[in-house]
Amino acid sequence: MDALIAAAARALAAGDALGALKRVSLRDDPPALALRGTAMARLGELARARELLGQAARGFGPRHCLAQARCVVADAEIALALRELDRPQQSLVRATATLEQGGDHANAAHARVVAVRRLLLLGRLDEARAALARLDGTALPAALAAVANLAAAELALRAVRTQPAREALAQAQAAAARARIPALQAEVAALQAQLQQPVARRHEADGLRTLQLHEVEALFASNALVLDGCRRRVRVGSAWLPLAARPVLFALVRTLAAAWPGEAPRDALIAAAFRAKQFDETHRARLRVEIGRLRALLAPWAAIEASARGFVLHPQDARRVVVLEPPIDGAQAALRALLADGEAWSTAALALALDASPRSVQRALATLAETGHARAVGRGRARRWLAPPLAGFATTLLLPVVAPAA
């Protein structure tokens, strides 16, 4: 490694992308191309960065497998920034193994962190936790340690575990201070602010009350039957009943929970579940069928009994019923939460993260565009969607999570 390459690498490690470019901008040998590509990625020129990294990987060739693997990891990080979540991960897995075998444990850990961040975007918390556990005990450079602890903090936040999140953020803050990279310090501060922001609203006698994450965590730890409108589930303790894919049943249980301890009238249940303004006997027959299905699913925790005017929810063991609403109204709350990160998302990536069909995501995006909550840039396959940040609350509970077994 010559002096200019070494100086450029040190500048990049310190977060000085422009300083690195000044040293290698006129060179086209593979190491310089790789550094130029990484610097351009830091400056937001992702398309040009990807092109330079591809040239560097081809220039290194199979004889320099470690350098080639580092280019693959850098390209995977760019793909993550571009929200190319449907991209195959085999090349990143092979690059990680190559770096481990070659003794480059720092870059192998970097590859694992990239994989963890992708899993977090997809809501695969269990897989992300397992991948992050492989970094335990690894001596990491300060900047990478900050990123890894940020991923651990986000994982804890998404799992509604505030104390581990605070511990990980404290470690991330210390590592970012050692790295002296302002962008990392700002990212830590932004995630710390989420702990003080409301994440949900709770139904109470006098209206809706906002809750912070630690209050939601305490509620989940109680024996209450919680109707979680943020993630469209029913929760009792650590047991979940996912209903995101069954909107009719979710609408019914939401109406029953909101009416508890009183009864929910049949007309209100029909209007909520079937979105019908005029009812006839066919709607009432369908209501009986859907209530029967819901009764079977809720049997371990609650009973649903018919009354003169409607139905009543009776939780077991004298449990109370709590209804949590998202911090914002609208059927596209999860979609808006994903777009609020400020990155440009493709329709395919959004569909993959939400586990929904691209067509349904396109319809939801069109609705958001009409109301000014999202905008499109580009055309055809290059079309991407952007949205302004959602101020005043955290989107922690709105982001998708792969449901555990019921």
Side-chain angles (χ1 to χ4, degrees):
M1 184 182 294
D2 59 55
L4 278 178
I5 294 292
R10 286 194 297 270
L12 267 181
D16 184 9
L18 286 175
L21 278 178
K22 288 178 183 178
R23 292 169 172 83
V24 294
S25 60
L26 299 180
R27 293 178 52 167
D28 58 1
D29 53 299
L33 288 172
L35 287 170
R36 285 169 59 192
T38 305
M40 294 297 284
R42 297 274 180 88
L43 295 172
E45 297 291 337
L46 302 182
R48 179 58 177 156
R50 173 168 280 179
E51 181 182 341
L52 290 168
L53 287 167
Q55 293 176 16
R58 290 190 294 272
F60 283 124
R63 293 182 59 187
H64 299 86
C65 57
L66 284 179
Q68 196 174 49
R70 295 182 192 115
C71 292
V72 171
V73 174
D75 185 68
E77 191 165 18
I78 292 173
L80 186 68
L82 291 171
R83 296 301 186 257
E84 295 179 355
L85 304 183
D86 55 346
R87 182 176 175 173
Q89 298 299 296
Q90 289 86 346
S91 59
L92 181 60
V93 173
R94 289 194 295 267
T96 306
T98 299
L99 292 167
E100 287 282 9
Q101 293 168 5
D104 189 352
H105 301 297
N107 278 302
H110 186 188
R112 296 192 190 282
V113 171
V114 171
V116 168
R117 290 167 59 199
R118 175 181 176 273
L119 291 169
L120 284 173
L121 284 175
L122 293 173
R124 300 176 183 172
L125 302 189
D126 290 339
E127 295 177 52
R129 189 176 294 107
L132 200 57
R134 298 173 189 170
L135 294 175
D136 286 349
T138 305
L140 301 177
L144 185 56
V147 175
N149 281 300
L150 276 171
E154 186 176 352
L155 177 61
L157 288 174
R158 298 278 292 278
V160 196
R161 301 175 61 210
T162 54
Q163 186 57 36
R166 288 192 178 93
E167 294 172 358
L169 281 172
Q171 295 174 16
Q173 186 176 36
R178 292 197 305 273
R180 298 181 181 179
I181 300 178
L184 266 179
Q185 294 171 332
E187 193 172 350
V188 173
L191 204 55
Q192 286 175 328
Q194 289 189 20
L195 286 169
Q196 310 303 322
Q197 293 176 328
V199 296
R201 297 176 295 174
R202 174 178 173 174
H203 274 279
E204 294 191 348
D206 56 349
L208 293 172
R209 182 171 74 89
T210 58
L211 299 180
Q212 294 181 357
L213 192 66
H214 69 91
E215 295 174 299
V216 174
E217 182 181 21
L219 189 60
F220 286 168
S222 69
N223 70 338
L225 188 150
V226 181
L227 188 284
D228 185 356
C230 299
R231 292 178 173 169
R232 295 174 138 344
R233 299 174 179 175
V234 176
R235 175 166 182 161
V236 176
S238 60
W240 292 90
L241 174 61
L243 293 174
R246 308 183 76 168
V248 171
L249 297 186
F250 177 76
L252 290 175
V253 72
R254 182 180 183 178
T255 306
L256 288 166
W260 182 85
E263 64 179 355
R266 288 180 175 82
D267 289 354
L269 290 166
I270 291 172
F274 310 136
R275 299 180 182 179
K277 295 181 179 179
Q278 296 182 345
F279 318 131
D280 55 28
E281 197 55 39
T282 61
H283 290 94
R284 293 182 176 85
R286 186 182 174 193
L287 176 63
R288 289 193 294 271
V289 171
E290 298 296 345
I291 286 290
R293 291 172 177 161
L294 182 61
R295 185 181 283 125
L297 290 173
L298 291 179
W301 309 310
I304 301 176
E305 296 182 1
S307 64
R309 296 178 53 248
F311 293 90
V312 183
L313 184 67
H314 290 291
Q316 296 178 2
D317 303 325
R319 290 189 177 96
R320 58 195 173 114
V321 176
V322 179
V323 179
L324 288 183
E325 295 285 0
I328 53 173
D329 295 319
Q332 295 87 20
L335 183 57
R336 291 181 64 186
L338 286 173
L339 291 172
D341 66 358
E343 301 292 346
W345 287 73
S346 68
T347 303
L350 289 168
L352 187 62
L354 294 169
D355 194 20
S357 70
R359 183 58 187 154
S360 64
V361 172
Q362 287 172 355
R363 289 195 295 268
L365 287 169
T367 301
L368 290 178
E370 290 174 359
T371 56
H373 292 129
R375 63 184 178 91
V377 293
R379 294 180 177 273
R381 294 177 63 86
R383 195 176 205 191
R384 296 293 185 270
W385 291 88
L386 294 162
L390 297 173
F393 61 89
T395 59
T396 308
L397 296 183
L398 298 180
L399 295 170
V401 175
V402 175

